[in-house]
Every structure is written in C-alpha cells, then in structure tokens.
mmCIF file of all heavy atoms in Angstrom:
data_model
loop_
_atom_site.group_PDB
_atom_site.id
_atom_site.type_symbol
_atom_site.label_atom_id
_atom_site.label_comp_id
_atom_site.label_asym_id
_atom_site.label_seq_id
_atom_site.Cartn_x
_atom_site.Cartn_y
_atom_site.Cartn_z
ATOM 1 N N THR A 1 -44.190 -207.147 -107.074
ATOM 2 C CA THR A 1 -44.160 -205.754 -106.928
ATOM 3 C C THR A 1 -43.302 -205.128 -108.046
ATOM 4 O O THR A 1 -42.215 -205.704 -108.366
ATOM 5 C CB THR A 1 -43.508 -205.350 -105.557
ATOM 6 O OG1 THR A 1 -44.353 -205.927 -104.476
ATOM 7 C CG2 THR A 1 -43.446 -203.830 -105.372
ATOM 8 N N LYS A 2 -43.708 -204.050 -108.535
ATOM 9 C CA LYS A 2 -42.975 -203.245 -109.520
ATOM 10 C C LYS A 2 -42.778 -201.852 -108.981
ATOM 11 O O LYS A 2 -43.749 -201.310 -108.370
ATOM 12 C CB LYS A 2 -43.682 -203.185 -110.863
ATOM 13 C CG LYS A 2 -42.993 -202.483 -111.938
ATOM 14 C CD LYS A 2 -42.007 -203.353 -112.693
ATOM 15 C CE LYS A 2 -41.337 -202.576 -113.768
ATOM 16 N NZ LYS A 2 -39.903 -202.812 -113.861
ATOM 17 N N VAL A 3 -41.645 -201.254 -109.068
ATOM 18 C CA VAL A 3 -41.297 -199.918 -108.583
ATOM 19 C C VAL A 3 -41.097 -198.978 -109.736
ATOM 20 O O VAL A 3 -40.446 -199.281 -110.671
ATOM 21 C CB VAL A 3 -40.086 -199.978 -107.695
ATOM 22 C CG1 VAL A 3 -39.709 -198.556 -107.147
ATOM 23 C CG2 VAL A 3 -40.265 -200.971 -106.511
ATOM 24 N N PHE A 4 -41.713 -197.817 -109.641
ATOM 25 C CA PHE A 4 -41.666 -196.757 -110.635
ATOM 26 C C PHE A 4 -41.079 -195.482 -110.084
ATOM 27 O O PHE A 4 -41.470 -195.118 -108.985
ATOM 28 C CB PHE A 4 -43.059 -196.502 -111.191
ATOM 29 C CG PHE A 4 -43.722 -197.762 -111.698
ATOM 30 C CD1 PHE A 4 -44.473 -198.572 -110.844
ATOM 31 C CD2 PHE A 4 -43.659 -198.051 -113.034
ATOM 32 C CE1 PHE A 4 -45.059 -199.705 -111.338
ATOM 33 C CE2 PHE A 4 -44.213 -199.200 -113.563
ATOM 34 C CZ PHE A 4 -44.944 -200.054 -112.677
ATOM 35 N N LYS A 5 -40.169 -194.856 -110.797
ATOM 36 C CA LYS A 5 -39.596 -193.587 -110.354
ATOM 37 C C LYS A 5 -40.018 -192.510 -111.180
ATOM 38 O O LYS A 5 -40.160 -192.659 -112.450
ATOM 39 C CB LYS A 5 -38.093 -193.687 -110.450
ATOM 40 C CG LYS A 5 -37.474 -194.841 -109.677
ATOM 41 C CD LYS A 5 -37.375 -194.598 -108.230
ATOM 42 C CE LYS A 5 -36.576 -195.778 -107.598
ATOM 43 N NZ LYS A 5 -36.349 -195.554 -106.231
ATOM 44 N N PHE A 6 -40.322 -191.336 -110.618
ATOM 45 C CA PHE A 6 -40.739 -190.154 -111.417
ATOM 46 C C PHE A 6 -40.480 -188.945 -110.648
ATOM 47 O O PHE A 6 -40.385 -188.900 -109.415
ATOM 48 C CB PHE A 6 -42.191 -190.245 -111.947
ATOM 49 C CG PHE A 6 -43.210 -190.294 -110.857
ATOM 50 C CD1 PHE A 6 -44.011 -189.070 -110.527
ATOM 51 C CD2 PHE A 6 -43.522 -191.431 -110.182
ATOM 52 C CE1 PHE A 6 -44.929 -189.134 -109.542
ATOM 53 C CE2 PHE A 6 -44.483 -191.443 -109.218
ATOM 54 C CZ PHE A 6 -45.206 -190.297 -108.910
ATOM 55 N N GLU A 7 -40.356 -187.790 -111.344
ATOM 56 C CA GLU A 7 -40.084 -186.486 -110.736
ATOM 57 C C GLU A 7 -41.431 -185.692 -110.849
ATOM 58 O O GLU A 7 -42.066 -185.732 -111.918
ATOM 59 C CB GLU A 7 -39.003 -185.731 -111.532
ATOM 60 C CG GLU A 7 -37.720 -186.572 -111.624
ATOM 61 C CD GLU A 7 -37.042 -186.844 -110.318
ATOM 62 O OE1 GLU A 7 -37.128 -185.991 -109.396
ATOM 63 O OE2 GLU A 7 -36.529 -187.936 -110.245
ATOM 64 N N MET A 8 -41.790 -185.022 -109.804
ATOM 65 C CA MET A 8 -43.031 -184.216 -109.801
ATOM 66 C C MET A 8 -42.928 -183.013 -108.873
ATOM 67 O O MET A 8 -42.277 -183.151 -107.856
ATOM 68 C CB MET A 8 -44.208 -185.097 -109.399
ATOM 69 C CG MET A 8 -45.606 -184.473 -109.610
ATOM 70 S SD MET A 8 -46.920 -185.555 -109.005
ATOM 71 C CE MET A 8 -46.932 -184.938 -107.278
ATOM 72 N N ALA A 9 -43.502 -181.890 -109.285
ATOM 73 C CA ALA A 9 -43.536 -180.740 -108.419
ATOM 74 C C ALA A 9 -44.988 -180.552 -107.988
ATOM 75 O O ALA A 9 -45.920 -180.948 -108.665
ATOM 76 C CB ALA A 9 -43.032 -179.507 -109.144
ATOM 77 N N HIS A 10 -45.157 -179.920 -106.826
ATOM 78 C CA HIS A 10 -46.499 -179.605 -106.373
ATOM 79 C C HIS A 10 -46.419 -178.419 -105.412
ATOM 80 O O HIS A 10 -45.366 -177.989 -105.003
ATOM 81 C CB HIS A 10 -47.180 -180.808 -105.760
ATOM 82 C CG HIS A 10 -46.606 -181.294 -104.474
ATOM 83 N ND1 HIS A 10 -47.324 -182.065 -103.605
ATOM 84 C CD2 HIS A 10 -45.339 -181.126 -103.917
ATOM 85 C CE1 HIS A 10 -46.518 -182.403 -102.540
ATOM 86 N NE2 HIS A 10 -45.354 -181.830 -102.752
ATOM 87 N N ALA A 11 -47.609 -177.973 -105.017
ATOM 88 C CA ALA A 11 -47.716 -176.933 -104.014
ATOM 89 C C ALA A 11 -48.988 -177.217 -103.253
ATOM 90 O O ALA A 11 -49.960 -177.660 -103.931
ATOM 91 C CB ALA A 11 -47.755 -175.552 -104.624
ATOM 92 N N LEU A 12 -48.991 -177.023 -101.926
ATOM 93 C CA LEU A 12 -50.182 -177.366 -101.215
ATOM 94 C C LEU A 12 -50.882 -176.029 -100.849
ATOM 95 O O LEU A 12 -50.426 -175.295 -99.953
ATOM 96 C CB LEU A 12 -49.754 -178.059 -99.893
ATOM 97 C CG LEU A 12 -49.076 -179.398 -100.100
ATOM 98 C CD1 LEU A 12 -48.728 -180.082 -98.781
ATOM 99 C CD2 LEU A 12 -49.832 -180.289 -101.033
ATOM 100 N N TYR A 13 -51.927 -175.775 -101.588
ATOM 101 C CA TYR A 13 -52.684 -174.541 -101.502
ATOM 102 C C TYR A 13 -53.265 -174.424 -100.076
ATOM 103 O O TYR A 13 -53.965 -175.306 -99.576
ATOM 104 C CB TYR A 13 -53.785 -174.535 -102.534
ATOM 105 C CG TYR A 13 -54.735 -173.349 -102.447
ATOM 106 C CD1 TYR A 13 -54.204 -172.026 -102.548
ATOM 107 C CD2 TYR A 13 -56.100 -173.475 -102.302
ATOM 108 C CE1 TYR A 13 -55.010 -170.934 -102.496
ATOM 109 C CE2 TYR A 13 -56.864 -172.384 -102.231
ATOM 110 C CZ TYR A 13 -56.404 -171.125 -102.287
ATOM 111 O OH TYR A 13 -57.195 -169.980 -102.174
ATOM 112 N N GLY A 14 -52.984 -173.283 -99.445
ATOM 113 C CA GLY A 14 -53.598 -172.977 -98.080
ATOM 114 C C GLY A 14 -52.799 -173.632 -96.964
ATOM 115 O O GLY A 14 -53.158 -173.435 -95.804
ATOM 116 N N TYR A 15 -51.765 -174.420 -97.273
ATOM 117 C CA TYR A 15 -51.004 -175.028 -96.224
ATOM 118 C C TYR A 15 -50.236 -173.963 -95.364
ATOM 119 O O TYR A 15 -49.894 -172.993 -95.888
ATOM 120 C CB TYR A 15 -50.003 -176.017 -96.891
ATOM 121 C CG TYR A 15 -49.160 -176.814 -95.895
ATOM 122 C CD1 TYR A 15 -49.799 -177.779 -95.036
ATOM 123 C CD2 TYR A 15 -47.810 -176.653 -95.854
ATOM 124 C CE1 TYR A 15 -49.044 -178.470 -94.187
ATOM 125 C CE2 TYR A 15 -46.978 -177.446 -94.976
ATOM 126 C CZ TYR A 15 -47.681 -178.296 -94.147
ATOM 127 O OH TYR A 15 -46.893 -179.071 -93.256
ATOM 128 N N ASP A 16 -50.031 -174.346 -94.083
ATOM 129 C CA ASP A 16 -49.407 -173.318 -93.199
ATOM 130 C C ASP A 16 -47.902 -173.563 -93.017
ATOM 131 O O ASP A 16 -47.333 -173.182 -92.015
ATOM 132 C CB ASP A 16 -50.156 -173.379 -91.844
ATOM 133 C CG ASP A 16 -50.044 -174.766 -91.190
ATOM 134 O OD1 ASP A 16 -49.531 -175.754 -91.818
ATOM 135 O OD2 ASP A 16 -50.492 -174.860 -89.938
ATOM 136 N N GLY A 17 -47.277 -174.147 -93.959
ATOM 137 C CA GLY A 17 -45.834 -174.404 -93.903
ATOM 138 C C GLY A 17 -45.137 -174.183 -95.260
ATOM 139 O O GLY A 17 -45.800 -173.736 -96.191
ATOM 140 N N PRO A 18 -43.831 -174.496 -95.336
ATOM 141 C CA PRO A 18 -43.151 -174.178 -96.539
ATOM 142 C C PRO A 18 -43.620 -174.952 -97.796
ATOM 143 O O PRO A 18 -43.405 -174.570 -98.945
ATOM 144 C CB PRO A 18 -41.693 -174.570 -96.242
ATOM 145 C CG PRO A 18 -41.774 -175.413 -95.018
ATOM 146 C CD PRO A 18 -42.986 -175.044 -94.292
ATOM 147 N N CYS A 19 -44.397 -176.046 -97.594
ATOM 148 C CA CYS A 19 -44.897 -176.827 -98.721
ATOM 149 C C CYS A 19 -46.032 -176.053 -99.496
ATOM 150 O O CYS A 19 -46.507 -176.653 -100.456
ATOM 151 C CB CYS A 19 -45.391 -178.239 -98.354
ATOM 152 S SG CYS A 19 -43.973 -179.226 -97.793
ATOM 153 N N LYS A 20 -46.358 -174.912 -99.023
ATOM 154 C CA LYS A 20 -47.347 -174.114 -99.779
ATOM 155 C C LYS A 20 -46.675 -173.531 -101.044
ATOM 156 O O LYS A 20 -47.367 -173.111 -101.961
ATOM 157 C CB LYS A 20 -47.921 -172.967 -98.923
ATOM 158 C CG LYS A 20 -46.884 -171.918 -98.523
ATOM 159 C CD LYS A 20 -47.450 -170.876 -97.621
ATOM 160 C CE LYS A 20 -46.348 -169.964 -97.027
ATOM 161 N NZ LYS A 20 -46.852 -169.196 -95.873
ATOM 162 N N ASN A 21 -45.375 -173.520 -101.070
ATOM 163 C CA ASN A 21 -44.591 -173.037 -102.225
ATOM 164 C C ASN A 21 -44.363 -174.183 -103.193
ATOM 165 O O ASN A 21 -44.286 -175.388 -102.773
ATOM 166 C CB ASN A 21 -43.216 -172.511 -101.749
ATOM 167 C CG ASN A 21 -43.418 -171.345 -100.863
ATOM 168 O OD1 ASN A 21 -44.044 -170.381 -101.152
ATOM 169 N ND2 ASN A 21 -42.847 -171.486 -99.643
ATOM 170 N N ILE A 22 -44.187 -173.875 -104.465
ATOM 171 C CA ILE A 22 -43.890 -174.895 -105.443
ATOM 172 C C ILE A 22 -42.569 -175.543 -105.144
ATOM 173 O O ILE A 22 -41.587 -174.830 -104.890
ATOM 174 C CB ILE A 22 -43.984 -174.294 -106.877
ATOM 175 C CG1 ILE A 22 -45.328 -173.762 -107.253
ATOM 176 C CG2 ILE A 22 -43.415 -175.342 -107.888
ATOM 177 C CD1 ILE A 22 -45.385 -173.027 -108.536
ATOM 178 N N HIS A 23 -42.582 -176.832 -105.127
ATOM 179 C CA HIS A 23 -41.322 -177.551 -104.833
ATOM 180 C C HIS A 23 -41.450 -178.939 -105.422
ATOM 181 O O HIS A 23 -42.588 -179.404 -105.755
ATOM 182 C CB HIS A 23 -41.072 -177.652 -103.271
ATOM 183 C CG HIS A 23 -42.128 -178.423 -102.592
ATOM 184 N ND1 HIS A 23 -43.402 -177.902 -102.342
ATOM 185 C CD2 HIS A 23 -42.144 -179.626 -102.085
ATOM 186 C CE1 HIS A 23 -44.123 -178.764 -101.582
ATOM 187 N NE2 HIS A 23 -43.363 -179.852 -101.492
ATOM 188 N N GLY A 24 -40.410 -179.675 -105.598
ATOM 189 C CA GLY A 24 -40.442 -180.922 -106.287
ATOM 190 C C GLY A 24 -39.856 -182.031 -105.454
ATOM 191 O O GLY A 24 -39.130 -181.833 -104.441
ATOM 192 N N HIS A 25 -40.206 -183.334 -105.859
ATOM 193 C CA HIS A 25 -39.701 -184.474 -105.195
ATOM 194 C C HIS A 25 -39.314 -185.507 -106.269
ATOM 195 O O HIS A 25 -39.832 -185.529 -107.334
ATOM 196 C CB HIS A 25 -40.795 -185.134 -104.305
ATOM 197 C CG HIS A 25 -41.325 -184.279 -103.258
ATOM 198 N ND1 HIS A 25 -40.559 -184.025 -102.069
ATOM 199 C CD2 HIS A 25 -42.448 -183.576 -103.059
ATOM 200 C CE1 HIS A 25 -41.209 -183.243 -101.246
ATOM 201 N NE2 HIS A 25 -42.386 -182.912 -101.864
ATOM 202 N N SER A 26 -38.449 -186.428 -105.825
ATOM 203 C CA SER A 26 -38.202 -187.618 -106.660
ATOM 204 C C SER A 26 -39.024 -188.722 -106.016
ATOM 205 O O SER A 26 -38.669 -189.299 -104.985
ATOM 206 C CB SER A 26 -36.722 -188.014 -106.598
ATOM 207 O OG SER A 26 -35.900 -187.052 -107.220
ATOM 208 N N TYR A 27 -40.143 -189.002 -106.735
ATOM 209 C CA TYR A 27 -41.079 -190.005 -106.158
ATOM 210 C C TYR A 27 -40.720 -191.407 -106.536
ATOM 211 O O TYR A 27 -40.089 -191.624 -107.601
ATOM 212 C CB TYR A 27 -42.498 -189.700 -106.705
ATOM 213 C CG TYR A 27 -43.149 -188.507 -106.051
ATOM 214 C CD1 TYR A 27 -43.031 -187.220 -106.582
ATOM 215 C CD2 TYR A 27 -43.978 -188.631 -104.956
ATOM 216 C CE1 TYR A 27 -43.572 -186.147 -106.069
ATOM 217 C CE2 TYR A 27 -44.596 -187.578 -104.379
ATOM 218 C CZ TYR A 27 -44.460 -186.311 -104.924
ATOM 219 O OH TYR A 27 -45.057 -185.266 -104.359
#
C-alpha cells in the first residue's frame, strides 16, 4: 500500500446541505 496526500476543493451542485458551497479537504 502507498498513501498519497493532497488538497482539493469541491462543491456538490444541487446538494441540500452546506457542502453545496465551495469548501476544501485534506485528502
């Protein structure tokens, strides 16, 4: 197994919660 770290922002179009807004995660 190899683990990779990266930063990414997204938004969930049409979602009914706060994740409809642009936000980021440390993946």
Side-chain angles (χ1 to χ4, degrees):
T1 301
K2 182 86 179 134
V3 179
F4 304 86
K5 306 279 187 177
F6 62 102
E7 307 297 322
M8 191 184 89
H10 68 159
L12 302 181
Y13 176 58
Y15 183 65
D16 61 354
C19 291
K20 66 184 170 194
N21 299 304
I22 295 172
H23 62 286
H25 299 284
S26 295
Y27 285 89

